[in-house]
Amino acid sequence: MFRSTCRHSYISAIAAIILFASCSKDESILNPPEIETDNVARATAKKLYEDHYDTSKTVASDSQWNGDEENCNAGSVDNDIMAKIFQRVQYYRLVVGLNNTITENPSQSSKAQDAALMMKSNGTLDHFPPSSWSCYTDDGSEAAGKSNLAMWKNAEAIDLYISEPGDANGPVGHRRWLLWPRLNSMGVGNTDISNVLWVVGNSGTAPSDAPEYISWPPADYVPDNLVSPRWSFSITGADFSQTTVSMVDELGNNIAITIEDLNTAYGDPTIVWVPQGVNTNVSVDTAYVVKLTNVEINGELEDFEYTVILFDPNS
């Protein structure tokens, strides 16, 4: 991983949110990345994918949802499905450098299961479901307001939370909760078409070995199939109102970037951007350099730079 950090004295008051950031090749100080494939870092990333991601995929022999929508029986999450959901969450956290283990909160899981049934029964997602909903319960409503919600099931729902598709997910709130260093437990609800992860309020102390920042995709090697259009960078206590983001590919070409509106409602402060023309189906390892300038932390402006290398985990 290549990273550089620079500090500047704080000069001006908070500026307006930047909605677009890019620079010409002459203005960019980013250098094209030099990468070596099949090195230790690549092999480590590939093994992590094989040992944690591949083995948490849903297979035909996995347990099926045991509830009954017609009778508003929420059922439960069988142990094999629960284990795979936590394993998939753990995979993403390990990839970004978080080594602490997330535990289950059984009381929250019971309520989250009610919420999962409500989402399934009503065919939509709502953090504030009305009492007129079929299969409504107060417990389910409480869980809905404190959870990630998806019309997807099992460990694959975690991929949806991390990828953050759709116009409403510009702040990448689901991703921010799941990759929050201070997250220490979850409640889990899951049916044959819906998933609920209770994450709000489950904060503890960040692990002592937590990285300085959380980025998705992370620095170094990352499987190409897990890189989605929205990229993000989070750091505790940061103010991104003056921040610009720039990227270059491995030939030194500047990548056009659009910045999503800032939102501080989820986990740590985060800046989100959408780079144009990133290849997420690579035949050879492909690198991009990311630079963030003027990140305000404790009254000082800092710069961050790192390299993301997309690789095919099946090669």
Side-chain angles (χ1 to χ4, degrees), residues 30 35 71 115-116 122 133 163 182 197 207 210 219 230-232 242 288 304 313:
L30 299 180
I35 63 173
N71 294 303
N122 294 275
W133 266 23
S163 65
R182 293 179 58 196
L197 295 187
R230 289 189 171 107
W231 294 37
S232 60
Q242 301 181 76
Y288 298 91
F304 297 84

Side-chain angles (χ1 to χ4, degrees), residues 154-211:
N154 301 353
E156 286 72 23
I158 309 305
D159 297 335
L160 196 64
Y161 295 136
I162 296 295
S163 65
E164 296 285 18
D167 293 341
N169 290 319
V172 299
H174 309 90
R175 179 191 300 170
R176 288 161 68 174
W177 285 125
L178 291 180
L179 301 183
W180 191 31
R182 293 179 58 196
L183 182 69
N184 62 8
S185 65
M186 296 190 312
V188 178
N190 194 75
T191 72
D192 57 347
I193 63 168
S194 59
N195 179 269
V196 175
L197 295 187
W198 186 321
V199 290
V200 178
N202 293 349
S203 62
T205 302
S208 59
D209 61 348

Side-chain angles (χ1 to χ4, degrees), residues 116-130:
L117 173 63
M118 290 164 58
M119 305 304 147
K120 169 183 169 62
S121 181
N122 294 275
T124 190
L125 304 175
D126 196 330
H127 288 291
F128 305 99

Side-chain angles (χ1 to χ4, degrees), residues 52-276:
H52 292 268
Y53 187 90
D54 275 345
T55 57
S56 61
K57 291 179 179 178
T58 299
V59 296
S61 59
D62 285 340
S63 299
Q64 302 300 307
W65 179 57
N66 56 21
D68 180 356
E69 179 183 353
E70 184 176 352
N71 294 303
C72 289
N73 173 13
S76 60
V77 184
D78 282 349
N79 290 338
D80 56 342
I81 298 300
M82 184 73 78
K84 286 187 173 184
I85 289 172
F86 274 90
Q87 183 175 330
R88 185 64 60 90
V89 171
Q90 191 72 8
Y91 168 75
Y92 281 107
R93 290 177 66 85
L94 286 170
V95 168
V96 300
L98 294 170
N99 299 304
N100 58 319
T101 299
I102 306 301
T103 60
E104 183 195 1
N105 183 315
S107 175
Q108 291 180 356
S109 289
S110 177
K111 295 178 180 181
Q113 190 62 24
D114 279 1
L117 173 63
M118 290 164 58
M119 305 304 147
K120 169 183 169 62
S121 181
N122 294 275
T124 190
L125 304 175
D126 196 330
H127 288 291
F128 305 99
S131 58
S132 59
W133 266 23
S134 61
C135 298
Y136 176 90
T137 67
D138 288 341
D139 284 348
S141 178
E142 180 187 5
K146 297 180 178 180
S147 300
N148 288 349
L149 309 175
M151 277 300 185
W152 212 254
K153 66 176 182 177
N154 301 353
E156 286 72 23
I158 309 305
D159 297 335
L160 196 64
Y161 295 136
I162 296 295
S163 65
E164 296 285 18
D167 293 341
N169 290 319
V172 299
H174 309 90
R175 179 191 300 170
R176 288 161 68 174
W177 285 125
L178 291 180
L179 301 183
W180 191 31
R182 293 179 58 196
L183 182 69
N184 62 8
S185 65
M186 296 190 312
V188 178
N190 194 75
T191 72
D192 57 347
I193 63 168
S194 59
N195 179 269
V196 175
L197 295 187
W198 186 321
V199 290
V200 178
N202 293 349
S203 62
T205 302
S208 59
D209 61 348
E212 181 181 7
Y213 59 85
I214 301 294
S215 63
W216 189 264
D220 295 326
Y221 286 87
V222 60
D224 60 350
N225 58 310
L226 302 183
V227 176
S228 55
R230 289 189 171 107
W231 294 37
S232 60
F233 180 97
S234 305
I235 191 167
T236 303
D239 180 347
F240 294 106
S241 61
Q242 301 181 76
T243 302
T244 59
V245 181
S246 55
M247 289 175 58
V248 298
D249 64 19
E250 56 192 24
L251 298 178
N253 298 312
N254 286 293
I255 304 295
I257 289 172
T258 55
I259 305 292
E260 299 278 10
D261 291 344
L262 297 178
N263 187 311
T264 60
Y266 318 96
D268 283 330
T270 299
I271 188 167
V272 183
W273 66 95
V274 180
Q276 304 300 313

